[in-house]
Amino acid sequence: MARAKKNKPTVTTILLVVEGTTEKIYFERLKGLERYSSLKIRPDLPKHSNLTTLLDYAKDEQASGAYDYVWLLFDRDVLQTQKLPKTTLDLINNPEKLKKHGIDIADSMPCFEIWFLLHYCLPKQTYKNQDKLIEELCKHIPNYCKKQEWLDKNDIYSMLKDKINTALENSKTLRERNKNADSSDYSMCNVDLLIEKIQELGKK
C-alpha cells in the first residue's frame, strides 16, 4: 500500500522594497536570525533616482504575482528634497489607497533610525535632520553609524532584539501622540506595522 504523501507547509513570500542600505541590512539580519520556516523575506534595494521610481518598482513587483505581500519602506524627509509628481504624493500620503494596489507602507520621519531609537525611548516631536536623530540614538548605541562598513560589523538586529516589545509599544504611543499632529515634520514611524506582520506570518 502506497504511503500517503505529507503536504508541504505553505511558504508565504514578502518583498520589502527599501530605500537604503540600513533597512536592507537590518531585515537581512532579521531573516537570518529568525529563520522562519513558513515565511520567505526578501529585502530589495533597487536602483532608483527618487521615491517615484521606487514606488513604480514596488508596483511592478506586486503586479508580477511573485509575492504574497509587498511593502515599501522610505524616509519621509525625502518629501522635502525631492520634487515628486502629484500621483506619487497622493498614493504615499494615502496608505489605504496604496493598499488597493497591493502595497503596504512602513515609512519613517525623519529616517529609519527612529525605529532603532524607539527600542529605548520615545523620540522628540521633531528633529532638524537625520543627523540630529542619530546623535540621540548614539546616546544608547555609542558610535552608531549608518555607513555600510559599520552595519556589516555590527549586527543591529541582534543588538536590539530583546527590546523589540518596547519598540512596538513606543511606536503605538508615538502614533497616538501624532493623531492630532498639524505638521508633516513630526517624528513618526510605521515600521512596527511591518514587524508585527512578519511576526504574524512567521508563526503560521
Side-chain angles (χ1 to χ4, degrees), residues 38-61:
S38 59
L39 179 62
K40 183 178 180 181
I41 304 169
R42 183 192 167 205
D44 189 6
L45 175 56
K47 288 183 179 179
H48 63 282
S49 55
N50 57 32
L51 188 53
T52 298
T53 53
L54 203 66
L55 177 58
D56 288 343
Y57 180 85
K59 286 181 183 177
D60 289 343
E61 290 298 311

Side-chain angles (χ1 to χ4, degrees), residues 6-7 19 23 34 37 79-80 95 98 111 121 147-148 153 157-159 161:
K6 291 183 179 179
N7 292 327
E19 184 187 28
E23 299 95 304
E34 301 298 348
S37 59
L79 303 184
Q80 301 169 351
L98 189 54
C111 56
C121 64
K147 290 182 179 179
Q148 184 166 349
K153 289 180 179 178
Y157 179 74
S158 294
M159 196 181 296
K161 179 178 165 60

Side-chain angles (χ1 to χ4, degrees), residues 100-112:
K100 292 179 181 178
H101 290 264
I103 300 170
D104 288 286
I105 287 179
D107 49 349
S108 306
M109 179 67 185
C111 56
F112 184 73

Side-chain angles (χ1 to χ4, degrees):
M1 186 175 180
R3 184 178 296 177
K5 291 183 178 180
K6 291 183 179 179
N7 292 327
K8 289 185 177 180
T10 302
V11 176
T12 302
T13 55
I14 181 168
L15 174 68
L16 311 180
V17 180
V18 302
E19 184 187 28
T21 304
T22 306
E23 299 95 304
K24 187 173 190 297
I25 291 176
Y26 175 82
F27 284 101
E28 287 285 4
R29 300 289 196 186
L30 180 156
K31 180 177 73 170
L33 186 63
E34 301 298 348
R35 297 185 177 277
Y36 294 117
S37 59
S38 59
L39 179 62
K40 183 178 180 181
I41 304 169
R42 183 192 167 205
D44 189 6
L45 175 56
K47 288 183 179 179
H48 63 282
S49 55
N50 57 32
L51 188 53
T52 298
T53 53
L54 203 66
L55 177 58
D56 288 343
Y57 180 85
K59 286 181 183 177
D60 289 343
E61 290 298 311
Q62 196 283 329
S64 74
Y67 302 95
D68 296 299
Y69 298 92
V70 175
W71 282 72
L72 176 64
L73 289 80
F74 66 94
D75 299 339
R76 292 193 71 87
D77 66 347
V78 301
L79 303 184
Q80 301 169 351
T81 58
Q82 296 180 7
K83 190 173 182 180
L84 301 170
K86 185 177 181 299
T87 50
T88 297
L89 293 171
D90 186 45
L91 285 176
I92 63 171
N93 288 323
N94 294 279
E96 290 305 314
K97 187 177 288 190
L98 189 54
K99 199 174 182 69
K100 292 179 181 178
H101 290 264
I103 300 170
D104 288 286
I105 287 179
D107 49 349
S108 306
M109 179 67 185
C111 56
F112 184 73
E113 278 80 6
I114 197 170
W115 169 243
F116 301 162
L117 185 60
L118 283 161
H119 288 70
Y120 299 96
C121 64
L122 275 173
K124 295 177 183 176
Q125 194 162 53
T126 59
Y127 292 91
K128 186 176 180 181
N129 50 44
Q130 292 190 14
D131 290 342
K132 291 298 181 183
L133 184 141
I134 290 173
E135 277 181 22
E136 186 169 351
L137 179 61
C138 284
K139 295 175 185 177
H140 305 281
I141 309 176
N143 303 316
Y144 173 83
C145 177
K146 66 188 303 172
K147 290 182 179 179
Q148 184 166 349
E149 183 180 1
W150 189 93
L151 293 165
D152 285 341
K153 289 180 179 178
N154 297 273
D155 188 340
I156 190 67
Y157 179 74
S158 294
M159 196 181 296
L160 299 173
K161 179 178 165 60
D162 66 343
K163 301 178 186 67
I164 199 162
N165 288 333
T166 299
L168 294 172
E169 286 302 315
N170 281 340
S171 296
K172 290 178 175 62
T173 302
L174 178 61
R175 193 171 294 112
E176 189 67 25
R177 190 178 82 182
N178 286 342
K179 265 189 175 180
N180 299 313
D182 57 2
S183 172
S184 59
D185 294 336
Y186 282 2
S187 304
M188 57 82 66
C189 182
N190 285 320
V191 176
D192 63 308
L193 303 179
L194 170 56
I195 294 295
E196 289 181 333
K197 188 64 178 180
I198 289 173
Q199 291 177 340
E200 173 197 333
L201 295 172
K203 290 177 182 176
K204 292 183 178 180

